[in-house]
Amino acid sequence: MSETSYMEQELGSQPETWRQAARIGAAAGPLPKPGQRVAVVGCGTSWFMAQSYAALREAAGQGVTDPFAASEAFLGSDRGYDAVVAITRSGTTTEVLRVLDAVKGRIPTVTIIGDPETPAVALSDETVSLPFADEKSVVQTRFATTALTLLRAHLGEDTSRAVADAEEALAARVDKEWVFAEQFSFLGSGWTFGLANEAALKMREAAQSWTESYPAMEYRHGPIAIAAPGRVTWLFGQAPEGLEADVARTGARFVHHARDPLADLVLVQRVALERARARGLDPDNPRSLTRSVLLETPAAS
Ligand code: F1P
């Protein structure tokens, strides 16, 4: 593996791609308007960004927003959606294309896309392209966070603190204890639950790590039994009362930073990269993964 992987270069460019996305997001006409009833779909990382966006949009009072894994989306006319937002870096993920095809002509669609030269464009009514955030690494880092920054800006958030915190997260020390920890449980609430899911996926994809993720208040309802010395419980966003002390009693390391939670995800991406390196893995080409999942390839003979 080369010293500078694509993953490292791409995750390092996030402050700049976030800045660009914030400019586009503040003006992006095709994205949902306040009051619209919205379903947002994606697969893998893109699904987790959908979860975060949905929670942010609801919290901002901009309307009902339901996130779905594209393969599990309920988009029947009885649900009354005014718009479907799809998130896809590749523009080729089969389940996302199936959703776009299934609702065509019935529900207006807008796709946030990394590669605009792909089939998702023709299947979508509108697209918001972020080609500057597309990636060579199979493991997504900047496309996902840049799409979410676009959406945060579109909801009216000032994302400049997130950008500054991402710069700081890129310079922060990666604790050796995180690089060699046996297990991670990531927690979040509201929009940061999607980030917790994404952090856990990043560690699995890039470094084959054992990770879990839960809504923060659910953690004490069973999963805390996994916490133990040599393991890490990493919280994004607001800390539930008493949780830090509860985790401390297990002997696990409790990690909670004050920086913007999306910027804290940047630090987790760096931990995933360091864990891959420490295990001699190529973070750009993880075992069993491809840039996107294509289900319409000819059946193997
Ligand atoms: C979605 C995705 C990735 C995942 C894997 C396969 O891709 O599920 O999130 O990490 O590499 O593809 P996309 O629809 O955003 O291109």
Side-chain angles (χ1 to χ4, degrees):
M1 187 188 66
S2 68
E3 258 309 295
T4 52
S5 56
Y6 287 122
M7 184 181 172
E8 180 176 7
Q9 294 167 32
E10 289 159 356
L11 77 81
S13 69
Q14 286 173 109
E16 188 41 44
T17 60
W18 293 9
R19 266 188 218 103
Q20 283 195 52
R23 283 195 289 273
I24 299 169
L31 294 172
K33 312 222 169 346
Q36 285 190 315
R37 216 179 149 84
V38 172
V40 49
V41 303
C43 293
T45 292
S46 296
W47 174 35
F48 299 141
M49 296 304 105
Q51 292 175 342
S52 288
Y53 168 54
L56 281 170
R57 189 168 182 273
E58 294 252 358
Q62 294 206 12
V64 168
T65 315
D66 295 326
F68 296 109
S71 56
E72 297 286 341
F74 293 96
L75 299 171
S77 46
D78 54 329
R79 300 183 77 87
Y81 291 120
D82 301 308
V84 170
V85 176
I87 303 174
T88 176
R89 176 182 70 173
S90 64
T92 56
T93 296
T94 301
E95 296 95 319
V96 173
L97 299 183
R98 284 179 182 163
V99 165
L100 292 169
D101 194 38
V103 303
K104 202 163 181 50
R106 185 164 62 80
I107 312 174
T109 56
V110 52
T111 299
I112 300 169
I113 197 161
D115 180 354
E117 307 294 317
T118 52
V121 173
L123 285 171
S124 308
D125 295 317
E126 305 270 7
T127 51
V128 178
S129 297
L130 305 174
F132 57 87
D134 198 359
E135 294 163 293
K136 292 207 167 69
S137 176
V138 165
V139 173
Q140 285 199 36
T141 53
R142 75 177 176 196
F143 177 74
T145 61
T146 301
L148 189 56
T149 302
L150 169 97
L151 291 162
R152 290 175 80 178
H154 188 255
L155 292 173
E157 257 193 73
D158 176 358
T159 54
S160 52
R161 181 190 156 223
V163 171
D165 284 359
E167 305 268 16
E168 182 271 323
L170 286 169
R173 197 174 65 88
V174 171
D175 197 321
K176 283 275 166 290
E177 195 181 345
W178 306 337
V179 179
F180 296 103
E182 183 186 33
Q183 188 271 347
F184 283 77
S185 292
F186 291 100
L187 311 178
S189 56
W191 76 285
T192 67
F193 176 50
L195 303 185
N197 289 335
E198 168 57 6
L201 182 68
K202 217 65 333 182
M203 292 269 202
R204 292 194 284 266
E205 289 184 326
Q208 299 172 18
S209 300
W210 171 24
T211 60
E212 308 194 0
S213 51
Y214 301 95
M217 291 296 283
E218 275 297 301
Y219 187 54
R220 287 179 280 214
H221 293 273
I224 196 169
I226 296 298
R231 299 180 181 176
V232 175
T233 301
W234 188 306
L235 175 75
F236 293 95
Q238 290 272 261
E241 200 186 330
L243 187 65
E244 179 166 5
D246 291 338
V247 172
R249 269 190 292 279
T250 70
R253 176 70 62 198
F254 185 75
V255 180
H256 183 215
H257 298 127
R259 66 176 67 88
D260 179 273
L262 191 60
D264 209 35
L265 177 63
V266 172
L267 182 58
V268 175
Q269 294 167 346
R270 292 182 57 217
V271 177
L273 181 66
E274 289 307 319
R275 288 174 68 86
R277 281 197 177 128
R279 287 158 185 77
L281 301 171
D282 176 358
D284 292 335
N285 294 292
R287 181 173 72 182
S288 314
L289 300 183
T290 49
R291 174 170 161 86
S292 66
V293 174
L294 307 177
L295 299 177
E296 285 144 329
T297 48
S301 52

mmCIF file of all heavy atoms in Angstrom, residues 42-47 87-93 96 138-140 143 198 201-202 205 289-293, ligand 1:
data_model
loop_
_atom_site.group_PDB
_atom_site.id
_atom_site.type_symbol
_atom_site.label_atom_id
_atom_site.label_comp_id
_atom_site.label_asym_id
_atom_site.label_seq_id
_atom_site.Cartn_x
_atom_site.Cartn_y
_atom_site.Cartn_z
ATOM 1 N N GLY A 42 -30.897 6.209 0.176
ATOM 2 C CA GLY A 42 -29.516 5.943 -0.203
ATOM 3 C C GLY A 42 -29.154 4.547 0.273
ATOM 4 O O GLY A 42 -29.962 3.880 0.937
ATOM 5 N N CYS A 43 -27.943 4.119 -0.050
ATOM 6 C CA CYS A 43 -27.451 2.821 0.408
ATOM 7 C C CYS A 43 -26.123 3.032 1.143
ATOM 8 O O CYS A 43 -25.332 3.902 0.764
ATOM 9 C CB CYS A 43 -27.194 1.884 -0.765
ATOM 10 S SG CYS A 43 -28.700 1.414 -1.632
ATOM 11 N N GLY A 44 -25.892 2.226 2.147
ATOM 12 C CA GLY A 44 -24.626 2.290 2.883
ATOM 13 C C GLY A 44 -24.410 3.681 3.462
ATOM 14 O O GLY A 44 -25.303 4.275 4.081
ATOM 15 N N THR A 45 -23.231 4.215 3.216
ATOM 16 C CA THR A 45 -22.891 5.556 3.693
ATOM 17 C C THR A 45 -23.961 6.580 3.315
ATOM 18 O O THR A 45 -24.324 7.442 4.121
ATOM 19 C CB THR A 45 -21.535 5.951 3.073
ATOM 20 O OG1 THR A 45 -20.537 5.109 3.645
ATOM 21 C CG2 THR A 45 -21.187 7.389 3.323
ATOM 22 N N SER A 46 -24.448 6.486 2.097
ATOM 23 C CA SER A 46 -25.431 7.482 1.631
ATOM 24 C C SER A 46 -26.739 7.372 2.415
ATOM 25 O O SER A 46 -27.416 8.385 2.656
ATOM 26 C CB SER A 46 -25.667 7.318 0.129
ATOM 27 O OG SER A 46 -24.471 7.604 -0.580
ATOM 28 N N TRP A 47 -27.101 6.175 2.833
ATOM 29 C CA TRP A 47 -28.278 5.997 3.689
ATOM 30 C C TRP A 47 -28.053 6.693 5.042
ATOM 31 O O TRP A 47 -28.953 7.367 5.572
ATOM 32 C CB TRP A 47 -28.546 4.496 3.881
ATOM 33 C CG TRP A 47 -29.629 4.163 4.856
ATOM 34 C CD1 TRP A 47 -30.785 4.858 5.091
ATOM 35 C CD2 TRP A 47 -29.658 3.030 5.742
ATOM 36 N NE1 TRP A 47 -31.525 4.224 6.072
ATOM 37 C CE2 TRP A 47 -30.854 3.106 6.480
ATOM 38 C CE3 TRP A 47 -28.788 1.960 5.964
ATOM 39 C CZ2 TRP A 47 -31.194 2.153 7.440
ATOM 40 C CZ3 TRP A 47 -29.132 1.005 6.910
ATOM 41 C CH2 TRP A 47 -30.325 1.105 7.634
ATOM 42 N N ILE A 87 -29.452 10.093 -2.526
ATOM 43 C CA ILE A 87 -28.035 10.439 -2.360
ATOM 44 C C ILE A 87 -27.221 9.268 -2.898
ATOM 45 O O ILE A 87 -27.420 8.125 -2.472
ATOM 46 C CB ILE A 87 -27.692 10.690 -0.868
ATOM 47 C CG1 ILE A 87 -28.586 11.788 -0.284
ATOM 48 C CG2 ILE A 87 -26.207 11.058 -0.716
ATOM 49 C CD1 ILE A 87 -28.411 12.006 1.227
ATOM 50 N N THR A 88 -26.353 9.539 -3.852
ATOM 51 C CA THR A 88 -25.508 8.476 -4.402
ATOM 52 C C THR A 88 -24.235 9.074 -4.989
ATOM 53 O O THR A 88 -24.301 9.949 -5.850
ATOM 54 C CB THR A 88 -26.257 7.620 -5.453
ATOM 55 O OG1 THR A 88 -25.352 6.659 -6.014
ATOM 56 C CG2 THR A 88 -26.890 8.446 -6.559
ATOM 57 N N ARG A 89 -23.099 8.614 -4.483
ATOM 58 C CA ARG A 89 -21.821 9.082 -5.034
ATOM 59 C C ARG A 89 -21.652 8.586 -6.461
ATOM 60 O O ARG A 89 -21.346 9.328 -7.377
ATOM 61 C CB ARG A 89 -20.672 8.582 -4.150
ATOM 62 C CG ARG A 89 -19.301 8.937 -4.692
ATOM 63 C CD ARG A 89 -18.174 8.376 -3.826
ATOM 64 N NE ARG A 89 -18.066 6.929 -3.912
ATOM 65 C CZ ARG A 89 -17.080 6.213 -3.364
ATOM 66 N NH1 ARG A 89 -16.148 6.830 -2.642
ATOM 67 N NH2 ARG A 89 -17.048 4.894 -3.484
ATOM 68 N N SER A 90 -21.870 7.280 -6.640
ATOM 69 C CA SER A 90 -21.558 6.652 -7.927
ATOM 70 C C SER A 90 -22.600 6.950 -9.003
ATOM 71 O O SER A 90 -22.275 6.985 -10.194
ATOM 72 C CB SER A 90 -21.481 5.135 -7.738
ATOM 73 O OG SER A 90 -22.754 4.639 -7.342
ATOM 74 N N GLY A 91 -23.855 7.098 -8.597
ATOM 75 C CA GLY A 91 -24.942 7.223 -9.572
ATOM 76 C C GLY A 91 -25.292 5.920 -10.252
ATOM 77 O O GLY A 91 -26.046 5.897 -11.233
ATOM 78 N N THR A 92 -24.768 4.814 -9.726
ATOM 79 C CA THR A 92 -25.000 3.509 -10.361
ATOM 80 C C THR A 92 -25.580 2.457 -9.406
ATOM 81 O O THR A 92 -25.893 1.350 -9.853
ATOM 82 C CB THR A 92 -23.679 2.941 -10.930
ATOM 83 O OG1 THR A 92 -22.708 2.874 -9.882
ATOM 84 C CG2 THR A 92 -23.135 3.806 -12.063
ATOM 85 N N THR A 93 -25.714 2.773 -8.151
ATOM 86 C CA THR A 93 -26.190 1.792 -7.169
ATOM 87 C C THR A 93 -27.586 1.278 -7.548
ATOM 88 O O THR A 93 -28.533 2.067 -7.685
ATOM 89 C CB THR A 93 -26.208 2.441 -5.768
ATOM 90 O OG1 THR A 93 -24.858 2.764 -5.433
ATOM 91 C CG2 THR A 93 -26.797 1.519 -4.717
ATOM 92 N N VAL A 96 -30.852 2.256 -5.622
ATOM 93 C CA VAL A 96 -31.207 3.674 -5.774
ATOM 94 C C VAL A 96 -31.847 3.895 -7.145
ATOM 95 O O VAL A 96 -32.880 4.566 -7.272
ATOM 96 C CB VAL A 96 -29.959 4.566 -5.589
ATOM 97 C CG1 VAL A 96 -30.272 6.026 -5.921
ATOM 98 C CG2 VAL A 96 -29.424 4.445 -4.160
ATOM 99 N N VAL A 138 -12.627 3.356 -2.771
ATOM 100 C CA VAL A 138 -13.931 2.689 -2.621
ATOM 101 C C VAL A 138 -14.621 3.203 -1.362
ATOM 102 O O VAL A 138 -15.836 3.440 -1.342
ATOM 103 C CB VAL A 138 -13.745 1.145 -2.571
ATOM 104 C CG1 VAL A 138 -15.004 0.462 -2.054
ATOM 105 C CG2 VAL A 138 -13.380 0.626 -3.961
ATOM 106 N N VAL A 139 -13.849 3.383 -0.303
ATOM 107 C CA VAL A 139 -14.413 3.851 0.973
ATOM 108 C C VAL A 139 -14.741 5.342 0.857
ATOM 109 O O VAL A 139 -13.878 6.156 0.595
ATOM 110 C CB VAL A 139 -13.406 3.605 2.124
ATOM 111 C CG1 VAL A 139 -13.905 4.233 3.416
ATOM 112 C CG2 VAL A 139 -13.185 2.116 2.313
ATOM 113 N N GLN A 140 -16.010 5.659 1.073
ATOM 114 C CA GLN A 140 -16.439 7.061 0.975
ATOM 115 C C GLN A 140 -16.045 7.837 2.217
ATOM 116 O O GLN A 140 -16.308 7.390 3.326
ATOM 117 C CB GLN A 140 -17.963 7.143 0.897
ATOM 118 C CG GLN A 140 -18.582 6.772 -0.404
ATOM 119 C CD GLN A 140 -20.005 7.333 -0.529
ATOM 120 O OE1 GLN A 140 -20.307 8.435 -0.070
ATOM 121 N NE2 GLN A 140 -20.873 6.567 -1.175
ATOM 122 N N PHE A 143 -17.304 12.518 -0.062
ATOM 123 C CA PHE A 143 -18.580 12.715 -0.779
ATOM 124 C C PHE A 143 -19.736 12.777 0.219
ATOM 125 O O PHE A 143 -20.589 13.664 0.162
ATOM 126 C CB PHE A 143 -18.851 11.639 -1.835
ATOM 127 C CG PHE A 143 -20.212 11.861 -2.463
ATOM 128 C CD1 PHE A 143 -20.395 12.898 -3.373
ATOM 129 C CD2 PHE A 143 -21.311 11.116 -2.082
ATOM 130 C CE1 PHE A 143 -21.665 13.191 -3.898
ATOM 131 C CE2 PHE A 143 -22.579 11.389 -2.597
ATOM 132 C CZ PHE A 143 -22.746 12.422 -3.510
ATOM 133 N N GLU A 198 -22.459 5.861 10.426
ATOM 134 C CA GLU A 198 -21.428 6.019 9.397
ATOM 135 C C GLU A 198 -20.031 5.768 9.978
ATOM 136 O O GLU A 198 -19.182 5.128 9.330
ATOM 137 C CB GLU A 198 -21.532 7.416 8.775
ATOM 138 C CG GLU A 198 -20.377 7.846 7.906
ATOM 139 C CD GLU A 198 -20.075 6.916 6.727
ATOM 140 O OE1 GLU A 198 -20.825 5.965 6.484
ATOM 141 O OE2 GLU A 198 -19.039 7.142 6.070
ATOM 142 N N LEU A 201 -19.590 2.089 10.192
ATOM 143 C CA LEU A 201 -19.401 1.486 8.865
ATOM 144 C C LEU A 201 -17.994 1.747 8.337
ATOM 145 O O LEU A 201 -17.358 0.865 7.749
ATOM 146 C CB LEU A 201 -20.445 2.041 7.882
ATOM 147 C CG LEU A 201 -20.389 1.464 6.459
ATOM 148 C CD1 LEU A 201 -20.792 -0.009 6.455
ATOM 149 C CD2 LEU A 201 -21.295 2.242 5.506
ATOM 150 N N LYS A 202 -17.506 2.988 8.571
ATOM 151 C CA LYS A 202 -16.161 3.355 8.082
ATOM 152 C C LYS A 202 -15.107 2.423 8.660
ATOM 153 O O LYS A 202 -14.210 1.960 7.981
ATOM 154 C CB LYS A 202 -15.882 4.802 8.494
ATOM 155 C CG LYS A 202 -15.149 5.625 7.541
ATOM 156 C CD LYS A 202 -15.825 5.934 6.218
ATOM 157 C CE LYS A 202 -16.825 4.998 5.689
ATOM 158 N NZ LYS A 202 -17.477 5.169 4.479
ATOM 159 N N GLU A 205 -15.500 -1.021 6.998
ATOM 160 C CA GLU A 205 -15.072 -1.045 5.595
ATOM 161 C C GLU A 205 -13.556 -0.935 5.465
ATOM 162 O O GLU A 205 -12.928 -1.723 4.770
ATOM 163 C CB GLU A 205 -15.712 0.123 4.829
ATOM 164 C CG GLU A 205 -17.199 -0.030 4.595
ATOM 165 C CD GLU A 205 -17.769 1.103 3.755
ATOM 166 O OE1 GLU A 205 -17.300 2.254 3.870
ATOM 167 O OE2 GLU A 205 -18.695 0.850 2.980
ATOM 168 N N LEU A 289 -15.551 -5.360 -1.168
ATOM 169 C CA LEU A 289 -16.321 -4.156 -1.506
ATOM 170 C C LEU A 289 -15.958 -3.625 -2.883
ATOM 171 O O LEU A 289 -14.835 -3.792 -3.347
ATOM 172 C CB LEU A 289 -16.074 -3.044 -0.479
ATOM 173 C CG LEU A 289 -16.446 -3.339 0.964
ATOM 174 C CD1 LEU A 289 -16.196 -2.110 1.829
ATOM 175 C CD2 LEU A 289 -17.891 -3.772 1.084
ATOM 176 N N THR A 290 -16.941 -2.978 -3.499
ATOM 177 C CA THR A 290 -16.710 -2.289 -4.764
ATOM 178 C C THR A 290 -17.257 -0.869 -4.631
ATOM 179 O O THR A 290 -17.965 -0.560 -3.668
ATOM 180 C CB THR A 290 -17.444 -2.989 -5.922
ATOM 181 O OG1 THR A 290 -18.807 -3.211 -5.524
ATOM 182 C CG2 THR A 290 -16.797 -4.315 -6.262
ATOM 183 N N ARG A 291 -16.933 -0.021 -5.586
ATOM 184 C CA ARG A 291 -17.377 1.386 -5.530
ATOM 185 C C ARG A 291 -18.880 1.488 -5.351
ATOM 186 O O ARG A 291 -19.376 2.347 -4.641
ATOM 187 C CB ARG A 291 -16.930 2.084 -6.814
ATOM 188 C CG ARG A 291 -17.445 3.503 -6.972
ATOM 189 C CD ARG A 291 -16.739 4.161 -8.139
ATOM 190 N NE ARG A 291 -17.462 5.311 -8.633
ATOM 191 C CZ ARG A 291 -17.343 6.557 -8.148
ATOM 192 N NH1 ARG A 291 -16.562 6.803 -7.118
ATOM 193 N NH2 ARG A 291 -18.015 7.555 -8.691
ATOM 194 N N SER A 292 -19.600 0.638 -6.034
ATOM 195 C CA SER A 292 -21.051 0.612 -5.815
ATOM 196 C C SER A 292 -21.524 -0.821 -6.027
ATOM 197 O O SER A 292 -20.814 -1.629 -6.631
ATOM 198 C CB SER A 292 -21.773 1.570 -6.762
ATOM 199 O OG SER A 292 -21.638 1.139 -8.092
ATOM 200 N N VAL A 293 -22.715 -1.087 -5.548
ATOM 201 C CA VAL A 293 -23.269 -2.436 -5.688
ATOM 202 C C VAL A 293 -24.142 -2.457 -6.936
ATOM 203 O O VAL A 293 -25.129 -1.730 -7.027
ATOM 204 C CB VAL A 293 -24.071 -2.824 -4.420
ATOM 205 C CG1 VAL A 293 -24.779 -4.161 -4.615
ATOM 206 C CG2 VAL A 293 -23.150 -2.865 -3.210
HETATM 207 C C1 F1P B 1 -23.249 3.355 -1.788
HETATM 208 C C2 F1P B 1 -22.377 2.250 -1.208
HETATM 209 C C3 F1P B 1 -21.284 2.773 -0.304
HETATM 210 C C4 F1P B 1 -20.550 1.644 0.335
HETATM 211 C C5 F1P B 1 -20.029 0.618 -0.670
HETATM 212 C C6 F1P B 1 -21.027 0.311 -1.726
HETATM 213 O O1 F1P B 1 -22.715 3.953 -2.866
HETATM 214 O O2 F1P B 1 -23.260 1.433 -0.496
HETATM 215 O O3 F1P B 1 -21.786 3.595 0.689
HETATM 216 O O4 F1P B 1 -19.498 2.169 1.094
HETATM 217 O O5 F1P B 1 -18.802 1.026 -1.218
HETATM 218 O O6 F1P B 1 -21.743 1.480 -2.191
HETATM 219 P P1 F1P B 1 -23.356 5.195 -3.616
HETATM 220 O O7 F1P B 1 -24.761 4.861 -4.026
HETATM 221 O O8 F1P B 1 -23.320 6.378 -2.708
HETATM 222 O O9 F1P B 1 -22.456 5.353 -4.801
#
